[in-house]
Amino acid sequence: MKPSATASDVVPIETAHEDMIHDAQMDYYGKRLATCSSDRTVKIFDVVNGSPSKSAGHTLKGHTGPVWQVAWAHPKFGNILASCSYDGKVFIWKEQTQGGASGTWTKIEEHTLHTASVNSISWAPHELGAILACASSDGKVSVLTFKDDGQWSADIFTAHAIGCNAVSWAPATQPGSLIHPQQPGAHQPTAFKRFVSAGCDNLVKIWCFREDTQSWGEEETLEGHTDWVRDVAWAPNIGLPRSYIATASQDKTVLIWTKDSPTSQWVKTALDASASSTSTSSAAAAGKFPDVVWRVSWSLAGNVLAVSCGDGKVTLWKENLQGVWECVSDLTS
């Protein structure tokens, strides 16, 4: 997405969904678009030259409630899509191709350990394997791992009081590895399994897999929001020392959490919504967004943050050389 994007760059897509669309995700190559809806279906479209093809695409049925999110696995694991729903289930879908042609999609795994709506799913960095984290309104987070023998294993643990709204994995790249590269012949550090969750208890928690106990443990709790945390996104890292996490909340704020080195503390900074050219409300005057902030998403390089607000606007934010976050673009739906 270009920071200078204008209305002329927007391509409307007719999905034929019969109710509200909750998520839309491009695959790794940008050749497929998956959407999901309150009509309880997932749809997959081929994308040609930046626009969806005129063919009807594929409709995946099986959920018995609104489908909140879809997530593509890395292509090295095959054409695999995960979906999560209000029905408390997570489905793993796989495309069975015939001779290179677009094939049929079948459900290869059904995860039913949660007792309430599954609100968010996120695939781990491909270097860690085919691992999917799931966040649920039952307050638990589950981690599905696809094993070499074709079986799936599941770890499930309580993460947040009331419920969990979102999960996001830490990048597999070690912070600072670009500046301090490995010496030839030196022992290669193992990639940590680590992710962050956002909850209805107003908290953000970082979880790490402990190899010695083979279990997930809470590494850190980040306090700063005064209402439900709706979304969380850990920024991609190309090997620079600093780590970034963005959180969006019902309290109409977005917080950027930064950690300068593996040993330093997380420091929070609130985005100043009054710096956005479209913000004219009294909430913006106080530095807040005009409505609930629902989603945050980083660019592939991890230097541009997209913020989706309940007023129907998407704003793009960048950190300037002085370390201040600036709104660089407004996109109105």
Side-chain angles (χ1 to χ4, degrees), residues 2-58:
K2 302 190 291 288
S4 61
T6 61
S8 61
D9 296 314
V10 177
V11 180
I13 297 167
E14 176 49 61
T15 63
H17 276 299
E18 295 169 6
D19 207 332
M20 183 183 291
I21 298 169
H22 297 292
D23 197 18
Q25 296 288 337
M26 303 287 285
D27 73 353
Y28 182 84
Y29 297 114
K31 296 291 180 68
R32 291 268 179 83
L33 174 70
T35 61
C36 61
S37 164
S38 282
D39 67 8
R40 304 179 297 204
T41 68
V42 173
K43 290 180 183 280
I44 298 172
F45 305 91
D46 291 321
V47 177
V48 181
N49 297 326
S51 300
S53 66
K54 295 292 187 273
S55 62
H58 301 271

Side-chain angles (χ1 to χ4, degrees), residues 137-158:
S137 291
D138 62 12
K140 295 179 180 178
V141 166
S142 59
V143 182
L144 302 180
T145 304
F146 185 64
K147 298 184 177 295
D148 292 334
D149 61 3
Q151 299 298 308
W152 291 83
S153 67
D155 296 308
I156 186 166
F157 52 91
T158 300

Side-chain angles (χ1 to χ4, degrees), residues 104-312:
T104 57
W105 288 83
T106 54
K107 184 172 64 181
I108 60 169
E109 180 65 19
E110 184 172 325
H111 171 42
T112 57
L113 289 181
H114 288 290
T115 57
S117 171
V118 182
N119 303 315
S120 176
I121 46 178
S122 177
W123 289 100
H126 66 89
E127 296 92 335
L128 302 176
I131 305 174
L132 184 73
C134 316
S136 171
S137 291
D138 62 12
K140 295 179 180 178
V141 166
S142 59
V143 182
L144 302 180
T145 304
F146 185 64
K147 298 184 177 295
D148 292 334
D149 61 3
Q151 299 298 308
W152 291 83
S153 67
D155 296 308
I156 186 166
F157 52 91
T158 300
H160 293 272
I162 312 175
C164 188
N165 295 318
V167 282
S168 178
W169 287 84
T173 308
Q174 292 286 338
S177 60
L178 189 67
I179 296 170
H180 306 290
Q182 281 287 302
Q183 298 299 318
H187 177 66
Q188 197 73 18
T190 55
F192 283 102
K193 294 177 185 173
R194 184 180 276 116
F195 65 83
V196 61
S197 63
C200 299
D201 51 8
N202 309 351
L203 299 176
V204 176
K205 295 184 180 183
I206 296 173
W207 306 88
C208 188
F209 187 74
R210 298 186 180 131
E211 295 292 344
D212 52 348
T213 60
Q214 290 291 296
S215 64
W216 290 91
E218 184 182 326
E219 190 174 75
E220 212 149 353
T221 298
L222 307 180
E223 297 185 47
H225 287 292
T226 58
D227 208 334
W228 289 16
V229 188
R230 285 290 180 184
D231 198 18
V232 61
W234 201 313
N237 191 321
I238 58 171
L240 297 174
R242 185 177 287 182
S243 298
Y244 294 91
I245 293 174
T247 54
S249 171
Q250 193 84 16
D251 64 15
K252 302 181 181 178
T253 67
V254 172
L255 296 180
I256 308 289
W257 306 82
T258 56
K259 188 173 185 175
D260 289 332
S261 72
T263 54
S264 58
Q265 296 295 311
W266 288 96
V267 178
K268 67 175 181 285
T269 306
L271 292 188
D272 181 7
S274 62
S276 168
S277 62
T278 58
S279 297
T280 56
S281 66
S282 57
K288 291 190 173 186
F289 284 81
D291 207 329
V292 174
V293 190
W294 287 99
R295 299 289 286 270
V296 281
S297 177
W298 293 97
S299 63
L300 283 176
N303 64 336
V304 177
L305 178 70
V307 176
S308 175
C309 186
D311 64 354

Side-chain angles (χ1 to χ4, degrees), residues 85-103:
S85 168
Y86 179 80
D87 63 14
K89 297 175 183 176
V90 175
F91 291 167
I92 311 290
W93 310 86
K94 184 170 185 177
E95 185 184 29
Q96 317 291 346
T97 56
Q98 291 111 14
S102 182

